[in-house]
Structure formats: C-alpha cells, structure tokens
C-alpha cells in the first residue's frame, strides 16, 4: 500500500477536504467483491472509507432518520448531565450530606455523559458534512 499526498488546499478548506490518497493492490476476486459492495449507489472510496472507519472504531456517518434520533438522544443526555451536575454541586455546597464515594461516582458518570455527547456530536457533524456534499456519502 502506498500513501500519496494530494494537491494542497488552504486554511479551513484543508480540514474539510480529504487530502490523502491511498493506493491498494487487489486480486480480481477482491475487486469483484468491492464492486458488489458498491452496488450502483456508492463509489469504491465510499465503501472502503466506511469499512475502514468501522474497523478503526471511528464514528460512522448516519442518515437523516438516525440523525434525528441521535439529536433526541443527545438532548436527553444533556438533561441527565444537568441533573448530575446539580447533584454534585449540592453535595459540594453542603445542601445535602457529602458522600465521597457518591461524589466520585457522580463525577465519573458526568464525565462519561459528556464524552458520549461529544461522540454523538461528532457523528452528527460528520453526517451533516457528507449531506452538504463534501463527499459521496462517507
């Protein structure tokens, strides 16, 4: 496999555009399998990018219906985060009895909620960019 840099772009365009080219040699049966995965609606680049993102554990783009559900989930997570933050604040301000183990557990849970929201935001951002035409779908 050879990595080749594509022609450069400037500023924020570089972050938004795909700027790296990867060449891969395939056997005829591998190329046929790739073509079958592509069907008539996806390019080979789309399929390879999707498979790579899946195997690498990177966020995958989602369709409009899934995006609506994720936005709803993100709003619910935001509310959970607010409630957890209020509970931690109440303990720290002495409005309720302080329990060190509960405080630590609430902070870990709050951190996990924030990380999950960030992951969902990233998935939505990737999908939004793809729908705006920055790629053929992936």
């Amino acid at each position: 496999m050879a990595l080749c840099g594509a022609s450069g772009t400037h500023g924020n365009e570089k972050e938004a555009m795909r700027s790296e080219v990867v060449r891969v040699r395939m056997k005829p049966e591998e190329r046929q399998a790739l073509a079958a995965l592509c069907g008539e609606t996806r390019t080979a680049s789309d399929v390879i990018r999707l498979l790579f993102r899946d195997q690498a554990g990177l966020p995958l783009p989602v369709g409009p219906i899934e995006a609506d559900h994720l936005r709803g989930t993100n709003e619910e997570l935001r509310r959970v985060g607010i409630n957890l933050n209020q509970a931690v604040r109440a303990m720290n301000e002495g409005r309720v009895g302080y329990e060190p183990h509960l405080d630590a557990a609430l902070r870990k849970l709050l951190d996990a909620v924030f990380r999950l929201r960030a992951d969902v935001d990233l998935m939505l951002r990737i999908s939004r960019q793809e729908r705006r035409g920055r790629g053929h779908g992936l």
Side-chain angles (χ1 to χ4, degrees):
M1 175 168 44
L3 293 176
C4 307
S7 60
T9 58
H10 303 289
N12 288 338
E13 284 181 42
K14 188 172 185 179
E15 293 174 18
M17 296 182 65
R18 295 180 180 103
S19 62
E20 299 296 322
V21 176
V22 177
R23 295 179 53 186
V24 179
R25 293 184 184 268
M26 293 183 167
K27 295 178 181 177
E29 62 269 15
E30 293 170 333
R31 183 64 177 115
Q32 289 173 349
L34 177 59
L37 288 172
C38 293
E40 295 185 21
T41 59
R42 292 186 176 150
T43 67
S45 292
D46 291 339
V47 171
I48 291 167
R49 201 173 296 112
L50 178 62
L51 292 169
F52 165 75
R53 292 187 74 82
D54 181 51
Q55 288 297 307
L58 297 172
L60 299 171
V62 296
I65 294 171
E66 292 86 359
D68 285 341
H69 291 293
L70 283 173
R71 279 190 285 277
T73 299
N74 222 12
E75 177 59 23
E76 290 176 32
L77 288 169
R78 185 186 70 79
R79 290 184 196 137
V80 168
I82 289 170
N83 288 339
L84 289 170
N85 199 32
Q86 288 173 347
V88 170
R89 186 175 296 134
M91 272 194 291
N92 290 338
E93 292 174 353
R95 289 184 278 140
V96 295
Y98 180 77
E99 294 289 332
H101 296 298
L102 180 58
D103 181 59
L106 288 174
R107 287 177 190 276
K108 284 182 182 177
L109 186 56
L110 186 58
D111 183 56
V113 168
F114 285 147
R115 282 185 279 126
L116 183 56
R117 285 195 65 213
D119 288 346
V120 171
D121 283 340
L122 180 59
M123 288 171 45
L124 291 170
R125 189 168 47 253
I126 290 168
S127 298
R128 221 176 6 254
Q129 289 170 348
E130 294 303 328
R131 283 193 303 275
R132 287 183 185 154
R134 290 185 176 160
H136 293 285
L138 300 176

